[in-house]
Amino acid sequence: MPALIENLPSNSSTATGPAVGSPHNITSATHHHPQSGDGTLVVRQLPLEQVLADAELQARWVDLLHKAENGYAILHPEHVATEWKFWSYRPDSSMWQPRVIFQEHHGPGQHGKVHHGQWESLAVLLPRQITARRLTHLPLPVQLQGWHLVGGQILRTSTNTACFEPASSSTRAIFSAIKQHVDQSRGDFLQIEDLDVDDPLYGAVQSLSGTGFEVHVPYGDRARWRIDLRGGSAGYWSKFSSKTRNGFKRKQKKCPSRQLECITHPQDVPRFLEAASEISKHTWQTHELGLRIKNDPRDQAIYGAIAEAGLFRSYLWSIDGRPVAFLVGNQAAETFHYEEVGFHEDFADYSPGLLMLIDVLNDMLVVNTPRWFDFGGGDAEYKRIFGNDQSSSGTTWLVRRHGLASGIFHTALAVNLIRQQGARLRDYCKERKRLQKNNLQKDVPPGLNLPTGDENPS
């Protein structure tokens, strides 16, 4: 049946906020499912601050997070509230305040009143501003204003048993409401970080973008690896050959004094951040990308909020009592998310990244075992070694089809293609020089030293 519009009383404690364009009317899309016999599914939206001020709404949100098949700590209300506190773009307009969009089961209550039931799916939007220069790497003095989908996904239960609602249908309903909000607010874009091609949201984005929007993935999709831990310890480690397992054991014997500590409690977060930040100053990630763990007020608040919610699960890996590697992660419902990792470069000979990951997996296979260990987007050799489930993902943008935003994103696609070709050419030239140098060295008689690049050949 087509969606209906339900008008709710404005003084209801759980009523949705004013719809964009009609500040005095409160609306929500309602989907009727005759097969349920006693209920409907309603897509509604509220200002984030209104939800955070209502204990009952927060309880429904947390309940959905714990039941969701794609639970993600980033979407816990405490984390979202803390993230918003430190959010860099905070417009004054009520049109651009954070929104919570959710699908709720309604059923008849006493005396014919509407019964507000459990939430079946949820998305959170934060306002986002981005410069054309950042997108295109060109000196264009233009800023685009749009929306950021928190966590890059829509929380959902696998199936709404009350209304026999499949996850994909629920996701499409929420995404339709998101797209409508972006359109009504005249946003230039919707940013969805690291969207997995196997997620129902991917299909909704591709099929429901419509004539008003176009879909861009400027940097393309990248491999995404997960570990399915349902087979238990024996089932997982048996995927490796005996030669590989023996190689792991030899590396472990080289480092008998190693120790792994799992950090989950809020009171341990400051100590963890202090150690991880010190290690982070001496990692290749910091040299290439900048300091990853800053242990600043934002880090302390963000990770503290996740720990208070009982979703923080991170690790310190030590040699002779000295922390030399760390892994930042969180676990909600059935999934552990691997967020940040680093090891002190002075200890590289011990293979700390590899050994820490082995120790972490052994811990997870014994204590509070998740179904999935999600490495997140991006390919790497160690992910290919340990992963046993592969898909692909990429940061996806829903962009207004006509106007300045579309032109900037098309420019970004062209520039990124040129940059990728340039990177391939540099890699080719580097490899060619390496091979030429190796071939030249093979032709040099023993005992004859070739001049280096800064020596005079004469």
Side-chain angles (χ1 to χ4, degrees):
M1 294 181 63
L4 303 178
I5 301 297
E6 179 189 68
N7 292 315
L8 301 176
S10 59
N11 60 355
S12 171
S13 63
T14 56
T16 183
V20 175
S22 56
H24 302 296
N25 294 323
I26 300 172
T27 61
S28 59
T30 305
H31 301 265
H32 290 270
H33 298 272
Q35 63 268 42
S36 68
D38 61 350
T40 59
L41 283 176
V42 180
V43 175
R44 306 169 60 213
Q45 62 171 285
L46 290 169
L48 173 65
E49 291 187 359
Q50 183 176 340
V51 177
L52 295 176
D54 189 313
E56 182 182 351
L57 294 178
Q58 280 203 65
R60 292 178 188 170
W61 184 343
V62 172
D63 181 60
L64 171 60
L65 177 68
H66 289 307
K67 293 190 306 183
E69 65 174 6
N70 60 335
Y72 193 4
I74 301 303
L75 278 160
H76 190 280
E78 290 296 329
H79 179 274
V80 173
T82 307
E83 185 72 57
W84 174 238
K85 178 180 177 181
F86 291 91
W87 199 247
S88 59
Y89 179 54
R90 300 175 63 86
D92 295 329
S93 170
S94 61
M95 182 79 71
W96 286 90
Q97 295 308 299
R99 310 294 293 181
V100 180
I101 300 175
F102 55 94
Q103 189 177 50
E104 183 180 53
H105 175 234
H106 279 208
Q110 292 181 348
H111 310 297
K113 293 183 179 180
V114 174
H115 168 68
H116 300 281
Q118 64 185 14
W119 291 6
E120 302 296 338
S121 53
L122 171 144
V124 182
L125 297 179
L126 297 183
R128 177 80 194 273
Q129 193 174 69
I130 190 166
T131 63
R133 181 171 191 150
R134 182 171 180 181
L135 286 169
T136 64
H137 306 283
L138 299 174
L140 301 175
V142 177
Q143 288 187 326
L144 300 178
Q145 186 175 6
W147 295 91
H148 168 83
L149 180 64
V150 176
Q153 61 187 37
I154 295 172
L155 280 183
R156 63 182 183 274
T157 54
S158 57
T159 302
N160 174 9
T161 55
C163 296
F164 305 99
E165 179 77 1
S168 58
S169 177
S170 177
T171 298
R172 288 168 66 91
I174 292 288
F175 179 72
S176 293
I178 292 172
K179 185 169 73 76
Q180 183 181 29
H181 183 73
V182 174
D183 189 30
Q184 291 179 334
S185 66
R186 304 305 299 169
D188 293 314
F189 62 83
L190 169 69
Q191 180 197 38
I192 309 174
E193 288 187 327
D194 210 20
L195 177 59
D196 196 304
V197 299
D198 290 337
D199 193 298
L201 178 57
Y202 179 87
V205 170
Q206 297 295 326
S207 63
L208 299 179
S209 56
T211 58
F213 292 90
E214 55 193 15
V215 180
H216 290 283
V217 188
Y219 302 101
D221 290 324
R222 304 177 299 168
R224 183 181 188 129
W225 288 95
R226 295 179 179 84
I227 304 174
D228 185 344
L229 296 174
R230 287 175 294 179
S233 181
Y236 175 67
W237 292 115
S238 66
K239 94 177 190 77
F240 298 95
S241 67
S242 59
K243 180 179 179 181
T244 300
R245 293 196 299 271
N246 289 333
F248 291 161
K249 291 176 182 177
R250 284 194 297 271
K251 289 182 180 296
Q252 289 173 324
K253 288 179 180 179
K254 285 179 59 179
C255 191
S257 60
R258 71 190 191 281
Q259 182 179 10
L260 182 75
E261 181 184 8
C262 181
I263 310 293
T264 58
H265 297 295
Q267 62 267 27
D268 294 325
V269 171
R271 176 174 60 85
F272 170 80
L273 289 176
E274 183 178 0
S277 180
E278 185 59 33
I279 297 168
S280 189
K281 297 173 184 176
H282 306 279
T283 64
W284 71 264
Q285 291 96 330
T286 292
H287 297 324
E288 296 289 333
L289 305 170
L291 187 62
R292 310 299 287 172
I293 305 297
K294 300 177 181 179
N295 193 24
D296 58 9
R298 181 186 180 278
D299 278 358
Q300 295 163 9
I302 290 289
Y303 295 123
I306 295 178
E308 289 288 351
L311 304 176
F312 191 71
R313 185 171 190 173
S314 298
Y315 293 88
L316 281 176
W317 193 83
S318 304
I319 295 178
D320 292 327
R322 176 183 174 180
V324 299
F326 68 88
L327 188 156
V328 180
N330 56 73
Q331 184 172 326
E334 297 183 320
T335 305
F336 172 83
H337 287 271
Y338 174 97
E339 302 287 359
E340 292 285 352
V341 67
F343 64 83
H344 197 298
E345 56 195 354
D346 290 350
F347 294 82
D349 290 344
Y350 288 98
S351 303
L354 176 73
L355 292 185
M356 178 176 64
L357 184 53
I358 292 173
D359 290 340
V360 165
L361 288 171
N362 280 327
D363 177 73
M364 286 195 173
L365 286 163
V366 174
V367 181
N368 191 19
T369 305
R371 173 180 177 180
W372 295 106
F373 182 113
D374 190 344
F375 281 111
D379 199 9
E381 183 180 4
Y382 72 93
K383 295 181 182 181
R384 294 192 295 270
I385 291 172
F386 288 93
N388 57 14
D389 182 88
Q390 183 186 9
S391 62
S392 60
S393 62
T395 296
T396 301
W397 304 75
L398 191 72
V399 181
R400 195 171 293 280
R401 186 174 293 276
H402 302 292
L404 182 62
S406 177
I408 288 174
F409 272 89
H410 280 285
T411 301
L413 287 170
V415 170
N416 287 328
L417 180 60
I418 293 171
R419 286 166 60 88
Q420 289 170 4
Q421 295 296 337
R424 291 191 185 99
L425 181 60
R426 287 194 301 271
D427 290 342
Y428 171 78
C429 292
K430 187 184 296 185
E431 180 66 13
R432 184 177 177 85
K433 287 181 180 179
R434 187 186 67 80
L435 293 174
Q436 288 176 339
K437 181 179 179 181
N438 289 342
N439 290 334
L440 183 60
Q441 288 176 340
K442 290 178 182 178
D443 296 334
V444 174
L448 179 62
N449 293 323
L450 286 173
T452 63
D454 29 315
E455 290 176 343
N456 188 343
S458 62

